[in-house]
Amino acid sequence: MARAVWSGALSFGLVALPVQLFTATESHTIRFNQLQRGTSDRVRNKRVNERTGEEVPMEEIVKGFDIGDEYVVVEPGELDEIAPGQSKSMEITGFVDLDQVEPVFFDKTYYLAPKGKEYAKVYALLHSALAQANKVGIATVVMRNHEYLVAVKAEGDVLAMHTMHWADEVRDPHREIGSLPEETQVADKELQTAVQLVEAMSIDWNPEEYHDTYQEKVLQLVEAKRTGQTVEKGESAPRSTNVIDLMDALRASVEQAETTREGGGKGPQKATSTSPPTPLKTAAERRAGRSAGKAAQSSKVSELEGMSKAELYQRASEADIPGRSSMTRGELLKALSGKKGRRTARAS
């Protein structure tokens, strides 16, 4: 069972609900250890005294506030004593429409759970009321010597707490960004076509369809370096659309989106998947299995056309086609189908 990161009382009006707070998200970001080149020795960060260069034990570390010419030292216990009630309570001061809270204010998400079965009814009552009213409770809470502005919201069948940025932490984009367009006029036809494109590309939100494709490419790179193989180069970034070609680009995009929706064409290659990433070895075996029964040339070409660039590159690697690492998807397709257009390898 997960460990609670905070426990106290959630109050709204005269109702107090003892709750526990659990982290709702986790990071799957690939992290590399720092090593000294040519060795397997890890380079670590340590709690080191800047003046002496010696490591400082955790129990000897205190907090100091810089007032210019000296530090004011504060002990951990003193921080707890100044606001013992705030560190154990989360009081909802009001309820607001969810649509009124701009996404830029939200930070991290936690799950709220009742502290015992005897509080299940109060928990369920608040959850149902928030869900039916489509509102969030605005409150403050002190955790780890920091006060947070939070929003309590019904998420599925649980209560969730979202920490929020304070108003003075949200930067004014017009002050921060000097290149924002000022009252730029757009033509009616362009706007109508852009809206048509948005409608044509509208989908139902399903988070399970998305996964971290960049992380998969990093793992492929690691596996390739481990086994002494090469890894395919990624697609180049798309060229910027200039103002002259804007309308043509919009119309072509609408046609492509509508064709894809109607099932009449493949459309743009998606960077999403409905299933978890397949291990490299398993993926190679599946690709080899698919090609085993394709004896006729026409069937082979049809199969190749339905493959992604990564799958074509794997086939090119198995066929030992020269220059494959610098080929585009179209060039890989031509090379594998026996057509002309194969390029020679570039000098590295």
Side-chain angles (χ1 to χ4, degrees):
M1 182 178 178
R3 182 178 178 181
V5 299
W6 181 89
S7 64
L10 169 63
S11 60
F12 50 104
L14 299 178
V15 181
L17 171 62
V19 294
Q20 299 181 89
L21 209 61
F22 297 87
T23 303
T25 60
E26 61 183 1
S27 174
H28 291 163
T29 301
I30 295 176
R31 301 185 185 278
F32 292 92
N33 293 315
Q34 297 185 88
L35 307 176
Q36 183 174 353
R37 187 181 296 278
T39 74
S40 297
D41 301 335
R42 291 179 60 178
V43 179
R44 299 177 183 271
N45 295 322
K46 294 185 177 182
R47 297 182 296 271
V48 175
N49 185 307
E50 291 182 349
R51 181 178 58 82
T52 66
E54 297 179 355
E55 186 174 355
V56 180
M58 191 66 189
E59 62 271 13
E60 293 185 14
I61 297 178
V62 294
K63 296 181 181 294
F65 186 83
D66 188 358
I67 60 173
D69 56 347
E70 63 177 326
Y71 287 97
V72 175
V73 176
V74 178
E75 299 289 342
E78 294 176 315
L79 293 171
D80 294 333
E81 291 172 356
I82 60 174
Q86 282 186 287
S87 63
K88 291 296 180 182
S89 65
M90 185 193 314
E91 181 180 0
I92 294 177
T93 56
F95 299 93
V96 302
D97 290 335
L98 179 59
D99 296 338
Q100 287 186 324
V101 184
E102 299 174 7
V104 69
F105 281 93
F106 289 112
D107 187 14
K108 295 182 179 179
T109 304
Y110 297 84
Y111 292 134
L112 278 167
K115 216 168 181 180
K117 294 182 179 180
E118 62 270 29
Y119 307 113
K121 185 174 182 178
V122 181
Y123 183 91
L125 182 64
L126 177 59
H127 175 275
S128 299
L130 290 175
Q132 184 169 329
N134 193 34
K135 291 182 180 290
V136 295
I138 303 299
T140 58
V141 62
V142 175
M143 294 189 300
R144 301 164 182 164
N145 299 322
H146 290 281
E147 183 173 21
Y148 295 90
L149 179 68
V150 301
V152 178
K153 179 179 178 292
E155 299 271 7
D157 57 355
V158 301
L159 285 174
M161 186 198 80
H162 303 271
T163 59
M164 305 172 68
H165 298 289
W166 299 98
D168 60 359
E169 294 178 327
V170 179
R171 295 178 175 179
D172 182 349
H174 294 279
R175 287 186 177 182
E176 299 297 326
I177 306 173
S179 59
L180 284 178
E182 297 181 3
E183 299 181 359
T184 303
Q185 297 295 323
V186 295
D188 290 340
K189 286 186 176 181
E190 292 176 343
L191 178 58
Q192 292 173 4
T193 308
V195 172
Q196 188 179 357
L197 175 59
V198 171
E199 294 294 340
M201 294 184 65
S202 295
I203 58 175
D204 293 326
W205 167 239
N206 183 4
E208 297 296 330
E209 292 183 352
Y210 299 84
H211 61 271
D212 190 343
T213 57
Y214 177 76
Q215 179 171 262
E216 294 172 16
K217 294 182 185 298
V218 173
L219 291 175
Q220 289 176 355
L221 173 62
V222 172
E223 176 67 11
K225 291 180 71 67
R226 186 185 70 84
T227 57
Q229 298 180 8
T230 57
V231 65
E232 67 162 321
K233 294 183 179 180
E235 295 280 1
S236 300
R239 294 181 180 179
S240 300
T241 303
N242 58 45
V243 177
I244 299 176
D245 300 330
L246 179 58
M247 196 62 191
D248 290 338
L250 286 170
R251 287 172 177 154
S253 299
V254 171
E255 292 177 2
Q256 184 183 63
E258 290 178 343
T259 301
T260 302
R261 171 170 288 184
E262 294 170 0
K266 294 189 295 183
Q269 184 177 347
K270 292 185 177 180
T272 61
S273 174
T274 56
S275 60
T278 307
L280 300 180
K281 183 176 180 180
T282 304
E285 292 173 351
R286 291 176 64 181
R287 284 192 290 268
R290 284 199 300 266
S291 63
K294 303 294 181 178
Q297 180 66 17
S298 59
S299 297
K300 177 182 177 181
V301 173
S302 177
E303 180 190 13
L304 292 173
E305 289 178 345
M307 289 184 176
S308 66
K309 182 183 177 183
E311 291 173 320
L312 291 172
Y313 180 81
Q314 180 63 32
R315 286 289 185 86
S317 298
E318 295 169 355
D320 196 24
I321 293 177
R324 58 186 177 276
S325 62
S326 59
M327 288 184 179
T328 64
R329 182 183 181 279
E331 290 169 336
L332 286 169
L333 184 59
K334 289 179 181 178
L336 288 168
S337 60
K339 298 178 181 179
K340 295 182 179 180
R342 181 181 303 178
R343 295 195 299 189
T344 56
R346 292 180 179 177
S348 56

